[in-house]
PDB file of all heavy atoms in Angstrom:
ATOM      1  N   LYS A   1     115.644 109.708  95.077  1.00 98.00           N
ATOM      2  CA  LYS A   1     116.276 110.522  94.040  1.00 98.00           C
ATOM      3  C   LYS A   1     117.337 109.661  93.371  1.00 98.00           C
ATOM      4  O   LYS A   1     118.154 109.022  94.039  1.00 98.00           O
ATOM      5  CB  LYS A   1     116.926 111.781  94.629  1.00 98.00           C
ATOM      6  CG  LYS A   1     115.951 112.763  95.270  1.00 98.00           C
ATOM      7  CD  LYS A   1     116.701 113.980  95.818  1.00 98.00           C
ATOM      8  CE  LYS A   1     115.825 114.848  96.704  1.00 98.00           C
ATOM      9  NZ  LYS A   1     114.735 115.506  95.991  1.00 98.00           N
ATOM     10  N   PHE A   2     117.306 109.625  92.043  1.00 98.00           N
ATOM     11  CA  PHE A   2     118.309 108.908  91.247  1.00 98.00           C
ATOM     12  C   PHE A   2     118.330 109.533  89.867  1.00 98.00           C
ATOM     13  O   PHE A   2     117.534 110.421  89.563  1.00 98.00           O
ATOM     14  CB  PHE A   2     117.998 107.395  91.187  1.00 98.00           C
ATOM     15  CG  PHE A   2     116.583 107.045  90.781  1.00 98.00           C
ATOM     16  CD1 PHE A   2     116.194 107.081  89.443  1.00 98.00           C
ATOM     17  CD2 PHE A   2     115.647 106.673  91.730  1.00 98.00           C
ATOM     18  CE1 PHE A   2     114.899 106.749  89.066  1.00 98.00           C
ATOM     19  CE2 PHE A   2     114.338 106.344  91.367  1.00 98.00           C
ATOM     20  CZ  PHE A   2     113.966 106.382  90.025  1.00 98.00           C
ATOM     21  N   ASN A   3     119.233 109.099  89.022  1.00 98.00           N
ATOM     22  CA  ASN A   3     119.279 109.638  87.663  1.00 98.00           C
ATOM     23  C   ASN A   3     118.147 109.027  86.835  1.00 98.00           C
ATOM     24  O   ASN A   3     117.855 107.832  86.940  1.00 98.00           O
ATOM     25  CB  ASN A   3     120.635 109.346  87.024  1.00 98.00           C
ATOM     26  CG  ASN A   3     120.756 109.999  85.651  1.00 98.00           C
ATOM     27  OD1 ASN A   3     120.350 109.426  84.656  1.00 98.00           O
ATOM     28  ND2 ASN A   3     121.307 111.202  85.602  1.00 98.00           N
ATOM     29  N   LYS A   4     117.544 109.845  86.001  1.00 98.00           N
ATOM     30  CA  LYS A   4     116.359 109.412  85.238  1.00 98.00           C
ATOM     31  C   LYS A   4     116.635 108.194  84.370  1.00 98.00           C
ATOM     32  O   LYS A   4     115.719 107.415  84.066  1.00 98.00           O
ATOM     33  CB  LYS A   4     115.844 110.575  84.379  1.00 98.00           C
ATOM     34  CG  LYS A   4     114.455 110.335  83.818  1.00 98.00           C
ATOM     35  CD  LYS A   4     113.891 111.594  83.191  1.00 98.00           C
ATOM     36  CE  LYS A   4     112.567 111.342  82.507  1.00 98.00           C
ATOM     37  NZ  LYS A   4     111.453 111.019  83.327  1.00 98.00           N
ATOM     38  N   GLY A   5     117.895 107.986  83.999  1.00 98.00           N
ATOM     39  CA  GLY A   5     118.244 106.830  83.182  1.00 98.00           C
ATOM     40  C   GLY A   5     118.056 105.498  83.886  1.00 98.00           C
ATOM     41  O   GLY A   5     118.154 104.433  83.256  1.00 98.00           O
ATOM     42  N   GLU A   6     117.777 105.534  85.187  1.00 98.00           N
ATOM     43  CA  GLU A   6     117.530 104.305  85.958  1.00 98.00           C
ATOM     44  C   GLU A   6     116.035 103.981  86.092  1.00 98.00           C
ATOM     45  O   GLU A   6     115.678 102.922  86.612  1.00 98.00           O
ATOM     46  CB  GLU A   6     118.127 104.432  87.364  1.00 98.00           C
ATOM     47  CG  GLU A   6     119.641 104.478  87.397  1.00 98.00           C
ATOM     48  CD  GLU A   6     120.265 103.120  87.087  1.00 98.00           C
ATOM     49  OE1 GLU A   6     119.854 102.113  87.689  1.00 98.00           O
ATOM     50  OE2 GLU A   6     121.167 103.071  86.229  1.00 98.00           O
ATOM     51  N   GLN A   7     115.186 104.873  85.598  1.00 97.00           N
ATOM     52  CA  GLN A   7     113.745 104.711  85.825  1.00 97.00           C
ATOM     53  C   GLN A   7     113.210 103.389  85.264  1.00 97.00           C
ATOM     54  O   GLN A   7     112.421 102.699  85.904  1.00 97.00           O
ATOM     55  CB  GLN A   7     112.985 105.871  85.185  1.00 97.00           C
ATOM     56  CG  GLN A   7     111.480 105.726  85.279  1.00 97.00           C
ATOM     57  CD  GLN A   7     110.859 106.714  86.219  1.00 97.00           C
ATOM     58  OE1 GLN A   7     111.523 107.587  86.757  1.00 97.00           O
ATOM     59  NE2 GLN A   7     109.584 106.568  86.444  1.00 97.00           N
ATOM     60  N   GLU A   8     113.635 103.012  84.055  1.00 96.00           N
ATOM     61  CA  GLU A   8     113.154 101.758  83.467  1.00 96.00           C
ATOM     62  C   GLU A   8     113.545 100.562  84.324  1.00 96.00           C
ATOM     63  O   GLU A   8     112.770  99.612  84.469  1.00 96.00           O
ATOM     64  CB  GLU A   8     113.703 101.582  82.044  1.00 96.00           C
ATOM     65  CG  GLU A   8     112.941 102.353  80.999  1.00 96.00           C
ATOM     66  CD  GLU A   8     113.427 102.039  79.595  1.00 96.00           C
ATOM     67  OE1 GLU A   8     113.753 100.879  79.301  1.00 96.00           O
ATOM     68  OE2 GLU A   8     113.483 102.979  78.781  1.00 96.00           O
ATOM     69  N   LEU A   9     114.756 100.598  84.875  1.00 96.00           N
ATOM     70  CA  LEU A   9     115.185  99.509  85.765  1.00 96.00           C
ATOM     71  C   LEU A   9     114.258  99.407  86.963  1.00 96.00           C
ATOM     72  O   LEU A   9     113.875  98.309  87.378  1.00 96.00           O
ATOM     73  CB  LEU A   9     116.609  99.758  86.275  1.00 96.00           C
ATOM     74  CG  LEU A   9     117.809  99.368  85.439  1.00 96.00           C
ATOM     75  CD1 LEU A   9     119.057  99.427  86.292  1.00 96.00           C
ATOM     76  CD2 LEU A   9     117.649  97.995  84.829  1.00 96.00           C
ATOM     77  N   LEU A  10     113.906 100.551  87.546  1.00 97.00           N
ATOM     78  CA  LEU A  10     113.036 100.552  88.715  1.00 97.00           C
ATOM     79  C   LEU A  10     111.670  99.975  88.361  1.00 97.00           C
ATOM     80  O   LEU A  10     111.117  99.153  89.097  1.00 97.00           O
ATOM     81  CB  LEU A  10     112.881 101.971  89.268  1.00 97.00           C
ATOM     82  CG  LEU A  10     112.046 102.074  90.545  1.00 97.00           C
ATOM     83  CD1 LEU A  10     112.778 101.411  91.707  1.00 97.00           C
ATOM     84  CD2 LEU A  10     111.721 103.515  90.878  1.00 97.00           C
ATOM     85  N   GLU A  11     111.132 100.403  87.228  1.00 96.00           N
ATOM     86  CA  GLU A  11     109.804  99.924  86.834  1.00 96.00           C
ATOM     87  C   GLU A  11     109.817  98.429  86.529  1.00 96.00           C
ATOM     88  O   GLU A  11     108.811  97.739  86.724  1.00 96.00           O
ATOM     89  CB  GLU A  11     109.299 100.742  85.642  1.00 96.00           C
ATOM     90  CG  GLU A  11     109.004 102.197  86.036  1.00 96.00           C
ATOM     91  CD  GLU A  11     108.747 103.109  84.853  1.00 96.00           C
ATOM     92  OE1 GLU A  11     108.934 102.664  83.697  1.00 96.00           O
ATOM     93  OE2 GLU A  11     108.353 104.273  85.086  1.00 96.00           O
ATOM     94  N   ALA A  12     110.952  97.902  86.082  1.00 95.00           N
ATOM     95  CA  ALA A  12     111.043  96.478  85.745  1.00 95.00           C
ATOM     96  C   ALA A  12     111.039  95.588  86.983  1.00 95.00           C
ATOM     97  O   ALA A  12     110.682  94.402  86.895  1.00 95.00           O
ATOM     98  CB  ALA A  12     112.321  96.221  84.933  1.00 95.00           C
ATOM     99  N   VAL A  13     111.420  96.143  88.132  1.00 96.00           N
ATOM    100  CA  VAL A  13     111.512  95.325  89.351  1.00 96.00           C
ATOM    101  C   VAL A  13     110.166  94.691  89.692  1.00 96.00           C
ATOM    102  O   VAL A  13     110.089  93.544  90.136  1.00 96.00           O
ATOM    103  CB  VAL A  13     112.024  96.172  90.540  1.00 96.00           C
ATOM    104  CG1 VAL A  13     111.981  95.364  91.831  1.00 96.00           C
ATOM    105  CG2 VAL A  13     113.443  96.653  90.279  1.00 96.00           C
ATOM    106  N   ILE A  14     109.085  95.428  89.451  1.00 95.00           N
ATOM    107  CA  ILE A  14     107.748  94.930  89.793  1.00 95.00           C
ATOM    108  C   ILE A  14     107.494  93.593  89.101  1.00 95.00           C
ATOM    109  O   ILE A  14     106.925  92.667  89.689  1.00 95.00           O
ATOM    110  CB  ILE A  14     106.674  95.962  89.380  1.00 95.00           C
ATOM    111  CG1 ILE A  14     106.870  97.262  90.167  1.00 95.00           C
ATOM    112  CG2 ILE A  14     105.272  95.402  89.610  1.00 95.00           C
ATOM    113  CD1 ILE A  14     106.013  98.413  89.686  1.00 95.00           C
ATOM    114  N   ALA A  15     107.926  93.463  87.853  1.00 93.00           N
ATOM    115  CA  ALA A  15     107.669  92.248  87.084  1.00 93.00           C
ATOM    116  C   ALA A  15     108.570  91.094  87.507  1.00 93.00           C
ATOM    117  O   ALA A  15     108.130  89.945  87.552  1.00 93.00           O
ATOM    118  CB  ALA A  15     107.847  92.542  85.592  1.00 93.00           C
ATOM    119  N   TYR A  16     109.845  91.374  87.813  1.00 93.00           N
ATOM    120  CA  TYR A  16     110.747  90.241  88.042  1.00 93.00           C
ATOM    121  C   TYR A  16     110.931  89.848  89.501  1.00 93.00           C
ATOM    122  O   TYR A  16     111.437  88.769  89.793  1.00 93.00           O
ATOM    123  CB  TYR A  16     112.091  90.432  87.332  1.00 93.00           C
ATOM    124  CG  TYR A  16     113.066  91.442  87.891  1.00 93.00           C
ATOM    125  CD1 TYR A  16     113.754  91.216  89.084  1.00 93.00           C
ATOM    126  CD2 TYR A  16     113.378  92.609  87.193  1.00 93.00           C
ATOM    127  CE1 TYR A  16     114.684  92.127  89.572  1.00 93.00           C
ATOM    128  CE2 TYR A  16     114.307  93.530  87.682  1.00 93.00           C
ATOM    129  CZ  TYR A  16     114.955  93.273  88.875  1.00 93.00           C
ATOM    130  OH  TYR A  16     115.877  94.165  89.351  1.00 93.00           O
ATOM    131  N   ALA A  17     110.482  90.678  90.433  1.00 94.00           N
ATOM    132  CA  ALA A  17     110.648  90.332  91.853  1.00 94.00           C
ATOM    133  C   ALA A  17     110.012  88.984  92.215  1.00 94.00           C
ATOM    134  O   ALA A  17     110.652  88.165  92.888  1.00 94.00           O
ATOM    135  CB  ALA A  17     110.104  91.447  92.737  1.00 94.00           C
ATOM    136  N   PRO A  18     108.770  88.717  91.783  1.00 93.00           N
ATOM    137  CA  PRO A  18     108.155  87.441  92.177  1.00 93.00           C
ATOM    138  C   PRO A  18     108.949  86.220  91.704  1.00 93.00           C
ATOM    139  O   PRO A  18     109.042  85.216  92.422  1.00 93.00           O
ATOM    140  CB  PRO A  18     106.778  87.487  91.497  1.00 93.00           C
ATOM    141  CG  PRO A  18     106.500  88.933  91.290  1.00 93.00           C
ATOM    142  CD  PRO A  18     107.841  89.559  91.026  1.00 93.00           C
ATOM    143  N   SER A  19     109.544  86.307  90.530  1.00 91.00           N
ATOM    144  CA  SER A  19     110.302  85.164  90.010  1.00 91.00           C
ATOM    145  C   SER A  19     111.550  84.899  90.848  1.00 91.00           C
ATOM    146  O   SER A  19     112.130  83.814  90.801  1.00 91.00           O
ATOM    147  CB  SER A  19     110.702  85.405  88.548  1.00 91.00           C
ATOM    148  OG  SER A  19     111.651  86.451  88.458  1.00 91.00           O
ATOM    149  N   MET A  20     111.976  85.879  91.627  1.00 90.00           N
ATOM    150  CA  MET A  20     113.138  85.718  92.496  1.00 90.00           C
ATOM    151  C   MET A  20     112.713  85.390  93.930  1.00 90.00           C
ATOM    152  O   MET A  20     113.545  85.317  94.833  1.00 90.00           O
ATOM    153  CB  MET A  20     113.989  86.989  92.460  1.00 90.00           C
ATOM    154  CG  MET A  20     114.365  87.392  91.045  1.00 90.00           C
ATOM    155  SD  MET A  20     115.246  88.954  90.974  1.00 90.00           S
ATOM    156  CE  MET A  20     116.915  88.357  90.944  1.00 90.00           C
ATOM    157  N   GLY A  21     111.419  85.220  94.112  1.00 92.00           N
ATOM    158  CA  GLY A  21     110.928  84.861  95.438  1.00 92.00           C
ATOM    159  C   GLY A  21     110.983  86.002  96.428  1.00 92.00           C
ATOM    160  O   GLY A  21     111.041  85.794  97.644  1.00 92.00           O
ATOM    161  N   ILE A  22     110.976  87.222  95.920  1.00 93.00           N
ATOM    162  CA  ILE A  22     111.090  88.392  96.801  1.00 93.00           C
ATOM    163  C   ILE A  22     109.799  89.202  96.752  1.00 93.00           C
ATOM    164  O   ILE A  22     109.293  89.524  95.674  1.00 93.00           O
ATOM    165  CB  ILE A  22     112.284  89.275  96.381  1.00 93.00           C
ATOM    166  CG1 ILE A  22     113.593  88.515  96.621  1.00 93.00           C
ATOM    167  CG2 ILE A  22     112.286  90.608  97.130  1.00 93.00           C
ATOM    168  CD1 ILE A  22     114.833  89.251  96.173  1.00 93.00           C
ATOM    169  N   ARG A  23     109.287  89.498  97.939  1.00 91.00           N
ATOM    170  CA  ARG A  23     108.087  90.336  98.014  1.00 91.00           C
ATOM    171  C   ARG A  23     108.519  91.801  97.936  1.00 91.00           C
ATOM    172  O   ARG A  23     109.257  92.287  98.790  1.00 91.00           O
ATOM    173  CB  ARG A  23     107.359  90.073  99.334  1.00 91.00           C
ATOM    174  CG  ARG A  23     105.964  90.689  99.397  1.00 91.00           C
ATOM    175  CD  ARG A  23     105.276  90.294 100.686  1.00 91.00           C
ATOM    176  NE  ARG A  23     105.888  90.947 101.832  1.00 91.00           N
ATOM    177  CZ  ARG A  23     105.568  92.169 102.258  1.00 91.00           C
ATOM    178  NH1 ARG A  23     104.662  92.868 101.612  1.00 91.00           N
ATOM    179  NH2 ARG A  23     106.168  92.688 103.316  1.00 91.00           N
ATOM    180  N   TYR A  24     108.081  92.463  96.889  1.00 96.00           N
ATOM    181  CA  TYR A  24     108.520  93.841  96.631  1.00 96.00           C
ATOM    182  C   TYR A  24     107.329  94.782  96.647  1.00 96.00           C
ATOM    183  O   TYR A  24     106.375  94.601  95.892  1.00 96.00           O
ATOM    184  CB  TYR A  24     109.228  93.895  95.273  1.00 96.00           C
ATOM    185  CG  TYR A  24     109.529  95.302  94.778  1.00 96.00           C
ATOM    186  CD1 TYR A  24     110.462  96.108  95.434  1.00 96.00           C
ATOM    187  CD2 TYR A  24     108.884  95.819  93.656  1.00 96.00           C
ATOM    188  CE1 TYR A  24     110.734  97.390  94.982  1.00 96.00           C
ATOM    189  CE2 TYR A  24     109.161  97.095  93.198  1.00 96.00           C
ATOM    190  CZ  TYR A  24     110.081  97.878  93.866  1.00 96.00           C
ATOM    191  OH  TYR A  24     110.351  99.146  93.410  1.00 96.00           O
ATOM    192  N   GLU A  25     107.391  95.771  97.522  1.00 96.00           N
ATOM    193  CA  GLU A  25     106.386  96.829  97.494  1.00 96.00           C
ATOM    194  C   GLU A  25     106.909  97.944  96.600  1.00 96.00           C
ATOM    195  O   GLU A  25     107.974  98.510  96.867  1.00 96.00           O
ATOM    196  CB  GLU A  25     106.136  97.350  98.903  1.00 96.00           C
ATOM    197  CG  GLU A  25     105.437  96.345  99.797  1.00 96.00           C
ATOM    198  CD  GLU A  25     104.937  97.007 101.072  1.00 96.00           C
ATOM    199  OE1 GLU A  25     104.306  98.080 100.983  1.00 96.00           O
ATOM    200  OE2 GLU A  25     105.204  96.453 102.143  1.00 96.00           O
ATOM    201  N   PRO A  26     106.182  98.240  95.524  1.00 97.00           N
ATOM    202  CA  PRO A  26     106.716  99.183  94.533  1.00 97.00           C
ATOM    203  C   PRO A  26     107.165 100.514  95.136  1.00 97.00           C
ATOM    204  O   PRO A  26     106.466 101.101  95.966  1.00 97.00           O
ATOM    205  CB  PRO A  26     105.545  99.373  93.563  1.00 97.00           C
ATOM    206  CG  PRO A  26     104.791  98.084  93.659  1.00 97.00           C
ATOM    207  CD  PRO A  26     104.896  97.665  95.099  1.00 97.00           C
ATOM    208  N   SER A  27     108.321 100.937  94.700  1.00 98.00           N
ATOM    209  CA  SER A  27     108.883 102.208  95.152  1.00 98.00           C
ATOM    210  C   SER A  27     108.090 103.374  94.586  1.00 98.00           C
ATOM    211  O   SER A  27     107.628 103.329  93.449  1.00 98.00           O
ATOM    212  CB  SER A  27     110.336 102.308  94.661  1.00 98.00           C
ATOM    213  OG  SER A  27     110.828 103.633  94.796  1.00 98.00           O
ATOM    214  N   PRO A  28     107.941 104.448  95.370  1.00 98.00           N
ATOM    215  CA  PRO A  28     107.431 105.683  94.769  1.00 98.00           C
ATOM    216  C   PRO A  28     108.433 106.202  93.743  1.00 98.00           C
ATOM    217  O   PRO A  28     109.610 105.839  93.775  1.00 98.00           O
ATOM    218  CB  PRO A  28     107.306 106.643  95.952  1.00 98.00           C
ATOM    219  CG  PRO A  28     108.201 106.093  97.008  1.00 98.00           C
ATOM    220  CD  PRO A  28     108.291 104.618  96.791  1.00 98.00           C
ATOM    221  N   LEU A  29     107.943 107.017  92.838  1.00 98.00           N
ATOM    222  CA  LEU A  29     108.820 107.618  91.830  1.00 98.00           C
ATOM    223  C   LEU A  29     109.325 108.967  92.342  1.00 98.00           C
ATOM    224  O   LEU A  29     108.694 109.600  93.195  1.00 98.00           O
ATOM    225  CB  LEU A  29     108.068 107.802  90.513  1.00 98.00           C
ATOM    226  CG  LEU A  29     107.607 106.499  89.853  1.00 98.00           C
ATOM    227  CD1 LEU A  29     106.815 106.789  88.578  1.00 98.00           C
ATOM    228  CD2 LEU A  29     108.785 105.592  89.556  1.00 98.00           C
ATOM    229  N   PRO A  30     110.464 109.400  91.833  1.00 98.00           N
ATOM    230  CA  PRO A  30     111.024 110.681  92.294  1.00 98.00           C
ATOM    231  C   PRO A  30     110.154 111.878  91.937  1.00 98.00           C
ATOM    232  O   PRO A  30     109.449 111.866  90.925  1.00 98.00           O
ATOM    233  CB  PRO A  30     112.369 110.768  91.547  1.00 98.00           C
ATOM    234  CG  PRO A  30     112.684 109.366  91.148  1.00 98.00           C
ATOM    235  CD  PRO A  30     111.369 108.707  90.897  1.00 98.00           C
ATOM    236  N   ASP A  31     110.201 112.881  92.789  1.00 97.00           N
ATOM    237  CA  ASP A  31     109.659 114.192  92.426  1.00 97.00           C
ATOM    238  C   ASP A  31     110.672 114.930  91.565  1.00 97.00           C
ATOM    239  O   ASP A  31     110.310 115.742  90.717  1.00 97.00           O
ATOM    240  CB  ASP A  31     109.355 115.022  93.672  1.00 97.00           C
ATOM    241  CG  ASP A  31     108.054 114.601  94.341  1.00 97.00           C
ATOM    242  OD1 ASP A  31     107.171 114.065  93.642  1.00 97.00           O
ATOM    243  OD2 ASP A  31     107.928 114.779  95.560  1.00 97.00           O
ATOM    244  N   GLU A  32     111.948 114.650  91.825  1.00 97.00           N
ATOM    245  CA  GLU A  32     113.008 115.239  91.003  1.00 97.00           C
ATOM    246  C   GLU A  32     114.122 114.220  90.832  1.00 97.00           C
ATOM    247  O   GLU A  32     114.371 113.407  91.717  1.00 97.00           O
ATOM    248  CB  GLU A  32     113.535 116.538  91.631  1.00 97.00           C
ATOM    249  CG  GLU A  32     114.081 116.370  93.028  1.00 97.00           C
ATOM    250  CD  GLU A  32     114.718 117.662  93.542  1.00 97.00           C
ATOM    251  OE1 GLU A  32     115.428 118.315  92.774  1.00 97.00           O
ATOM    252  OE2 GLU A  32     114.517 117.981  94.728  1.00 97.00           O
ATOM    253  N   TYR A  33     114.748 114.293  89.673  1.00 98.00           N
ATOM    254  CA  TYR A  33     115.822 113.358  89.351  1.00 98.00           C
ATOM    255  C   TYR A  33     117.173 114.029  89.588  1.00 98.00           C
ATOM    256  O   TYR A  33     117.280 115.258  89.590  1.00 98.00           O
ATOM    257  CB  TYR A  33     115.710 112.892  87.894  1.00 98.00           C
ATOM    258  CG  TYR A  33     114.462 112.093  87.640  1.00 98.00           C
ATOM    259  CD1 TYR A  33     113.292 112.716  87.229  1.00 98.00           C
ATOM    260  CD2 TYR A  33     114.447 110.714  87.836  1.00 98.00           C
ATOM    261  CE1 TYR A  33     112.132 111.982  87.010  1.00 98.00           C
ATOM    262  CE2 TYR A  33     113.299 109.972  87.618  1.00 98.00           C
ATOM    263  CZ  TYR A  33     112.144 110.618  87.207  1.00 98.00           C
ATOM    264  OH  TYR A  33     111.002 109.881  87.002  1.00 98.00           O
ATOM    265  N   LEU A  34     118.190 113.211  89.783  1.00 98.00           N
ATOM    266  CA  LEU A  34     119.533 113.743  89.979  1.00 98.00           C
ATOM    267  C   LEU A  34     120.229 113.889  88.632  1.00 98.00           C
ATOM    268  O   LEU A  34     120.130 112.995  87.774  1.00 98.00           O
ATOM    269  CB  LEU A  34     120.348 112.803  90.872  1.00 98.00           C
ATOM    270  CG  LEU A  34     119.838 112.644  92.305  1.00 98.00           C
ATOM    271  CD1 LEU A  34     120.663 111.584  93.031  1.00 98.00           C
ATOM    272  CD2 LEU A  34     119.883 113.964  93.058  1.00 98.00           C
ATOM    273  N   PRO A  35     120.959 114.977  88.429  1.00 98.00           N
ATOM    274  CA  PRO A  35     121.714 115.146  87.186  1.00 98.00           C
ATOM    275  C   PRO A  35     122.956 114.258  87.177  1.00 98.00           C
ATOM    276  O   PRO A  35     123.251 113.569  88.159  1.00 98.00           O
ATOM    277  CB  PRO A  35     122.095 116.627  87.213  1.00 98.00           C
ATOM    278  CG  PRO A  35     122.164 116.965  88.667  1.00 98.00           C
ATOM    279  CD  PRO A  35     121.125 116.125  89.341  1.00 98.00           C
TER     280      PRO A  35
END
């Protein structure tokens, strides 16, 4: 759960994780967002 304004940041992690040498398993998305 997080504020919806962070969603783009979360989705961007998939693209930039490899360039940082970090193995990232994509996070599930929220069922509900925090106000």
Side-chain angles (χ1 to χ4, degrees):
K1 296 180 191 293
F2 51 79
N3 185 274
K4 194 170 174 68
E6 292 288 311
Q7 175 110 5
E8 279 186 38
L9 277 193
L10 183 68
E11 292 169 352
V13 174
I14 297 171
Y16 73 72
S19 68
M20 306 175 96
I22 294 177
R23 191 176 70 85
Y24 170 68
E25 291 193 48
S27 166
L29 296 178
D31 282 334
E32 58 174 318
Y33 295 91
L34 296 175

